[in-house]
Amino acid sequence: MQQFEVSEILWDSWGVPHIYARNEVELFHALGWAQAKSHGNLILMLYGQARGRASEYWGTDYVDTDRYVRTMGIPRRAGEWYEAQSDQMRTYLNAFADGINGYIQAYPDEVPEFLKVVLPVSAVDILAHVQRVIHFFFVVNPNQIATLSQGEQMAGSNAWAINAPEHSASQKAMLLANPHQPWFDLFLWYEAQLTMPSLSAYGAALVGWPTLGIAFNDYLGWTVTVNPTKGADFYELSLRDGGYEWNDQIRAFEVESQTLKIKQEDGSLQEEPLVVVQSVHGPVVSQTETKAIALRVVGLDRPHLLEQMWEMINARNLSQFEASLQQLQLPLFNFLYADTEGQIFYLFNALVPVRSKSSQDQGDWDYWQKLIPGNTSDTLWTEYHSYEDLPRVVNPACGWLQNTNDSPWTVTFPTLLKPENYPLYIAPSNLGKMPHNILRPQRSIRKLLNSDTMSFDDMVAFMFSSRLELADRILDGLIASVKTHGSELGMQAVKVLESWDRHANADSCGTVLFIQWVEKMGLDNIFATPWQSDLPLETPCDLIDPVFATAVLEEVAADIQSRYGTLDVAWGEVVRLRIGNQDLPGSGAGSIFGSFQVVDIMPVDEKNFQAFGGNSFMMAIEFTNPIRAEALAIYGNATQPHSPHVGDQLQLYVQGQLRPVWRTPAAIADHLKLREILDISSGLFMQANG
C-alpha cells in the first residue's frame, strides 16, 4: 500500500483536481478546497438557499425559495441529520466544510463580498444542500408541488453496462455513464480524482457534495439514472372545526410560526411571517376554505446517504458494493455497475413505500399519481419495501444492461424482470405508460440487440448519436402523405425531408422542419397505432391523420421559410451551445424525439434557440488492465467567472469527442498546471513548483 508524504492537489490542463491525501480527513478537506476554487460562488449561493435564508442575504428574488425550503423543514432536519451521523462521518463533513472556508480565507478576492455573508459554511449546510437536491428536487420539485402533479422529471440519463466476454469486443466489461441534466445551479457535476493509500477513485460529484455520485476505482464502477419511482404523494384533506378529518375524528394541525427576514434595496431587513402547517402526512402545501393538500416524501428518516456513497466508492467487488446499497439510504436512482471481474449488475434503487390499500382500486401505479384521500390511515404509508423486494439483475445472458429512464422491466431485452412479480405501484408496467420517454429506450435497446459485440470506440461514438427514432418511425408515412395531399410548398418540404439524414447534427438540414412540425402537431396527436406489448420496440407508429399532418407541415414550412429564408436551414445555425465565451453550433435533440444524444433547448428570440441542458457529464469506462476511461464535462469543470475552464470542453463535445482520463502519476505530470500542498499547521494548500 503506497503511502504519501504530503496531501496535495494536482490540477491538470482541464481544471480537474487530482487529490492525493494521506488519510480520509485530508482528502475531504482537499475536495472542499478544490470545489471552492472551481465553484466557490455557486456553492455559497446554494448553501445560503439550503439554509432558508437567501432572501435575508440577497433580497426579494429569493423569498419563494426560502418559503419552500422552510416549509419542507430542510434547515431543521439538516441539523438532526448532522447529530445522527457517525463520529467518523461528522469528521469528514467538517473537513469538507473546512476546505471550502479555507480556500476563501486564503483567496478572499476570488469570491464577491455579497456572498461572504454565508461564511463560514458548516457540515449542516452540506446536509441541507444534499437534502434539498435529492428529496426536494429529484424526488419532488417545486413545479410538481405548484401543480400538484407528478409532472416531468427535471433530469434524465443514458446508462449501459456491457458484459465480458459475451458482448464486449475486448472481452472486458464496459460502462457508459451519461446523465442528462440542466447546465446550471445545483445540477452541475464536478469531476475529480480521489487517491489515498487505500483508494484510487475517479468520477464526478454534484457541486457542493463531498462524495462522488458517478465513479470508478481500481476494481469497479457505477453510474446512475433517474428512475420512475413514486417517492412523493399528495394527500387531500377535508377541513373541519379548525383541523382535518382523520379516521372519523377531527385531528388538529401542527402549526409553527417562523419569521422570514428579507433584505430590501436600501440594505434594511423587512420581516415577514411564515406559518408552517403540518398534518400527520407532512407539510401542507395548498389550502382552500374546505380542503388542504399535504405532501409526504420518502427518505427524510434516512440521514446516512453520504456515508453509504462513501462506502460504495471504497468497495472492491460486487458483494461489497451491494452491501452498501442494501442500506437503502438513497431514495431513488437506478444503479448500473461493471467491474474488472467481468460482472455487470442493475438495481432499481428506491425507497418504495409499502402502500396500504382500503379497496381493490388502490395500489397500482396510476392510482398513486392522483390526489390521495387523506382522511384515513388506510392510505398513509409508514414503511418501505426491503432491498429484496426491488428489481435487480446480475450478469444477464444477453450480455448487457441498459436504462434510459424507462421502467426496470426493459433493463434487458427480452425482459428478465416481470412487473407481475412486483407490487403494481413500484413502477410503470410497460413502455406505453411513459409516452414521452418511449423512443429513446427503444433506440438504446435496438442498438444493443443489433450489436453482436461492441468496442469501446463504438460505445463512445453512440453516445453522440443524434439519429431521431421518431423520424425513422413516421417520416416515410409523412412524406407519402404530402405527396398525395400536399401543395407546391408541401412538395418543397418533402424534398428537404427526403434528403435529410434524420439526425440532429449541427449540419443536418431538415431537423428544424421536422422537429417544429412535431411540436406543432403535439406528440400525443401523431401516432395512429399506440404502444403494443406484442410489438414493444416497433410501436407506437403510423400517422393518425395524414391529411392534417400534411396541412401542419405546410403551415410550419411557410413559417420557417419566412423566418430563415430557406427550408433547409442547418440545425446548428438555429440551435446554439453557449457557455462562458463559447458560442457553438448545437447537436442532439430532446428525449421525446428518440435521440440518444440529448440536448434540451429554449427559444432566445424568434429565430434562435439555446441549449440549457441535456448531456452533461459523460464517461466511458473499459475494465481492462489498466482501466481505460474517457470523460467530458460539457460545460467545463468550473463556474468561477475568471476561470479558464468555464466552457473549455464544449468544443470537444461539438466534435463528438471525449477526453482521455488521466489517472496515473505519469499522465497527470504530463498535463500538470498547478500543484498545491497542504500545510498542516494552517490547514491551507500552498502553491508549489513542480
Side-chain angles (χ1 to χ4, degrees):
M1 183 179 297
Q2 182 182 4
Q3 301 296 321
F4 304 128
E5 294 182 0
V6 296
S7 291
E8 59 185 350
I9 306 174
L10 306 178
W11 293 90
D12 71 23
S13 55
W14 293 108
V16 175
H18 303 264
I19 296 171
Y20 287 80
R22 298 182 303 175
N23 54 55
E24 289 87 349
V25 173
E26 292 179 6
L27 183 142
F28 277 84
H29 184 89
L31 184 57
W33 177 284
Q35 288 206 31
K37 181 181 179 71
S38 304
H39 294 289
N41 293 3
L42 177 58
I43 289 172
L44 294 183
M45 185 68 73
L46 293 174
Y47 284 8
Q49 291 177 63
R51 286 180 186 172
R53 297 177 63 186
S55 59
E56 176 184 343
Y57 298 150
W58 306 305
T60 56
D61 289 345
Y62 296 92
V63 171
D64 287 344
T65 296
D66 285 352
R67 287 185 185 131
Y68 179 65
V69 166
R70 294 207 192 183
T71 300
M72 298 303 116
I74 294 173
R76 170 191 52 78
R77 193 178 299 109
E80 295 170 356
W81 278 20
Y82 179 72
E83 294 302 322
Q85 301 301 305
S86 65
D87 290 342
Q88 183 182 65
M89 200 64 202
R90 274 199 296 268
T91 301
Y92 296 166
L93 296 177
N94 290 338
F96 183 80
D98 288 344
I100 295 171
N101 294 325
Y103 176 82
I104 299 172
Q105 174 190 338
Y107 299 97
D109 293 340
E110 293 298 312
V111 173
E113 288 299 320
F114 77 93
L115 291 174
K116 292 178 183 175
V117 67
V118 181
L119 295 172
V121 302
S122 70
V124 174
D125 294 323
I126 299 166
L127 292 167
H129 172 61
V130 166
Q131 192 183 126
R132 179 176 177 238
V133 172
I134 292 296
H135 299 83
F136 296 105
F137 268 90
F138 278 97
V139 174
V140 65
N141 64 63
N143 291 334
Q144 292 169 326
I145 292 174
T147 58
L148 302 180
S149 67
Q150 185 70 2
E152 295 289 335
Q153 292 283 0
M154 297 187 71
S157 301
N158 296 330
W160 288 354
I162 297 177
N163 209 9
E166 290 86 352
H167 214 65
S168 168
S170 67
Q171 299 192 348
K172 301 295 182 182
M174 298 191 295
L175 190 66
L176 179 155
N178 183 199
H180 305 150
Q181 293 177 200
W183 293 352
F184 54 84
D185 206 57
L186 52 79
F187 299 100
L188 292 181
W189 292 96
Y190 185 64
E191 189 174 348
Q193 180 178 4
L194 308 180
T195 305
M196 297 188 309
S198 61
L199 175 68
S200 177
Y202 195 102
L206 289 170
V207 168
W209 284 56
T211 52
L212 300 177
I214 295 173
F216 68 97
N217 59 30
D218 288 334
Y219 308 94
L220 57 85
W222 79 88
T223 186
V224 295
T225 65
V226 175
N227 47 349
T229 180
K230 189 68 164 58
D233 292 318
F234 295 107
Y235 287 86
E236 186 176 52
L237 312 179
S238 296
L239 304 181
R240 185 151 56 109
D241 299 335
Y244 59 100
E245 296 179 2
W246 177 252
N247 288 340
D248 298 323
Q249 297 180 357
I250 305 301
R251 185 177 180 122
F253 288 104
E254 296 179 17
V255 180
E256 179 186 2
S257 295
Q258 300 184 22
T259 300
L260 292 179
K261 295 181 180 180
I262 305 168
K263 188 175 183 179
Q264 305 301 300
E265 290 185 2
D266 62 4
S268 64
L269 293 177
Q270 177 178 305
E271 293 188 350
E272 178 181 299
L274 174 66
V275 178
V276 178
V277 179
Q278 296 254 358
S279 73
V280 68
H281 313 83
V284 171
V285 296
S286 176
Q287 186 170 335
T288 66
E289 290 186 3
T290 59
K291 300 288 184 181
I293 306 298
L295 173 68
R296 191 165 183 80
V297 178
V298 301
L300 301 181
D301 55 348
R302 301 289 173 102
H304 301 298
L305 67 167
L306 293 178
E307 188 165 6
Q308 175 184 314
M309 294 172 70
W310 179 240
E311 291 181 14
M312 287 159 52
I313 197 57
N314 282 279
R316 297 193 173 192
N317 54 50
L318 179 56
S319 177
Q320 293 178 2
F321 188 78
E322 273 208 272
S324 302
L325 290 177
Q326 287 168 1
Q327 299 174 51
L328 289 180
Q329 294 294 309
L330 279 162
L332 79 170
F333 297 125
N334 295 296
F335 281 87
L336 282 84
Y337 161 107
D339 64 27
T340 55
E341 297 179 3
Q343 298 198 87
I344 58 175
F345 160 80
Y346 164 80
L347 176 70
F348 182 86
N349 173 79
L351 287 172
V352 180
V354 177
R355 300 187 181 278
S356 300
K357 294 181 287 185
S358 61
S359 74
Q360 293 300 315
D361 294 331
Q362 293 186 26
D364 66 2
W365 174 260
D366 291 336
Y367 174 84
W368 289 93
Q369 307 309 303
K370 307 170 185 176
L371 286 178
I372 308 303
N375 62 339
T376 170
S377 56
D378 288 340
T379 60
L380 180 69
W381 49 263
T382 58
E383 298 177 351
Y384 304 119
H385 281 276
S386 68
Y387 184 87
E388 290 71 25
D389 290 343
L390 301 176
R392 170 184 174 275
V393 176
V394 180
N395 299 327
C398 65
W400 54 264
L401 299 162
Q402 78 82 38
N403 188 266
T404 43
N405 310 113
D406 39 326
S407 291
W409 328 122
T410 42
V411 69
T412 62
F413 196 89
T415 59
L416 295 177
L417 300 172
K418 306 295 183 183
E420 58 266 26
N421 296 330
Y422 298 87
L424 294 177
Y425 50 70
I426 200 168
S429 58
N430 55 59
L431 284 173
K433 293 283 188 178
M434 305 177 69
H436 287 199
N437 186 43
I438 186 171
L439 299 173
R440 181 164 53 94
Q442 289 174 327
R443 179 156 173 73
S444 174
I445 292 167
R446 186 176 294 109
K447 175 63 177 179
L448 289 162
L449 282 174
N450 293 339
S451 302
D452 292 333
T453 60
M454 185 174 296
S455 70
F456 181 89
D457 292 339
D458 292 337
M459 185 172 71
V460 170
F462 195 70
M463 295 175 81
F464 292 93
S465 172
S466 68
R467 189 174 182 95
L468 304 187
E469 182 74 17
L470 181 57
D472 287 338
R473 199 67 58 88
I474 62 171
L475 185 59
D476 290 341
L478 176 61
I479 289 172
S481 173
V482 177
K483 287 182 175 180
T484 300
H485 306 290
S487 65
E488 180 180 349
L489 180 60
M491 293 307 297
Q492 293 174 17
V494 160
K495 184 177 179 180
V496 172
L497 294 175
E498 284 183 323
S499 60
W500 175 42
D501 61 8
R502 301 190 181 190
H503 287 70
N505 294 332
D507 60 354
S508 295
C509 298
T511 317
V512 174
L513 179 61
F514 180 76
I515 282 182
Q516 293 194 13
W517 170 77
V518 172
E519 292 178 341
K520 188 75 172 180
M521 287 284 293
L523 190 65
D524 296 334
N525 301 315
I526 286 180
F527 294 114
T529 304
W531 183 86
Q532 298 179 353
S533 59
D534 57 339
L535 294 171
L537 300 184
E538 294 78 23
T539 54
C541 60
D542 305 325
L543 281 174
I544 192 170
D545 188 338
V547 175
F548 178 67
T550 299
V552 170
L553 181 65
E554 292 180 347
E555 180 182 350
V556 169
D559 180 61
I560 290 176
Q561 182 72 46
S562 173
R563 278 191 287 159
Y564 303 108
T566 179
L567 293 181
D568 60 353
V569 59
W571 182 242
E573 292 183 26
V574 174
V575 174
R576 307 300 295 180
L577 309 181
R578 295 179 177 134
I579 298 173
N581 60 5
Q582 302 283 326
D583 185 349
L584 299 172
S587 57
S591 179
I592 66 169
F593 303 102
S595 172
F596 200 74
Q597 180 188 24
V598 171
V599 63
D600 298 314
I601 61 176
M602 60 183 180
V604 292
D605 54 41
E606 291 185 356
K607 289 187 175 182
N608 300 303
F609 294 80
Q610 180 174 325
F612 68 88
N615 287 7
S616 54
F617 177 71
M618 306 171 72
M619 187 160 64
I621 309 160
E622 187 172 34
F623 288 92
T624 50
N625 186 17
I627 293 173
R628 179 185 181 186
E630 295 183 359
L632 193 71
I634 290 171
Y635 31 67
N637 213 37
T639 54
Q640 287 302 93
H642 303 298
S643 172
H645 303 298
V646 177
D648 64 340
Q649 300 180 46
L650 192 61
Q651 184 66 55
L652 289 177
Y653 177 71
V654 170
Q655 295 169 354
Q657 299 176 19
L658 304 183
R659 336 172 319 265
V661 164
W662 300 317
R663 293 180 69 224
T664 65
I668 297 166
D670 287 342
H671 304 90
L672 184 64
K673 290 297 182 181
L674 176 66
R675 183 186 185 202
E676 295 180 303
I677 299 176
L678 177 62
D679 176 69
I680 301 299
S681 61
S682 67
L684 306 180
F685 282 86
M686 305 300 182
Q687 294 188 16
N689 296 323

